[in-house]
Amino acid sequence: MTLTISRPVMATLFGVIVAFAVLTPLIWLINTRDWGIFLMLLAPFVIYGLIHAGRRLAEWVDPLPPPPDDE
């Protein structure tokens, strides 16, 4: 018996794991280190990157149809 997982489930799991793995250390460093306050300047770029990665995962789950041939 083979285990098959659908693309939306895989994309959701991967997205949650990546977001947790990226944000948890960033939040911990901001909260516990004196120099962590400077990481707040990096936070918007990290969030933007995660949003971009989420959009790429959404495109992977439901790819756009190919353009029609204009012949």
Side-chain angles (χ1 to χ4, degrees):
M1 180 175 170
T2 60
L3 178 67
T4 57
I5 300 176
S6 65
R7 278 188 173 197
V9 173
M10 287 191 320
T12 302
L13 288 175
F14 184 72
V16 168
I17 290 169
V18 167
F20 184 79
V22 169
L23 291 178
T24 301
L26 179 65
I27 293 168
W28 180 76
L29 288 171
I30 289 172
N31 192 32
T32 60
R33 305 291 179 191
D34 290 336
W35 50 265
I37 193 72
F38 296 112
L39 291 176
M40 290 183 72
L41 298 172
L42 182 66
F45 299 105
V46 171
I47 299 299
Y48 176 78
L50 288 172
I51 291 171
H52 184 69
R55 288 181 181 159
R56 295 289 302 243
L57 280 172
E59 290 175 4
W60 178 72
V61 168
D62 189 24
L64 295 173
D69 292 334
D70 293 334
E71 292 181 16

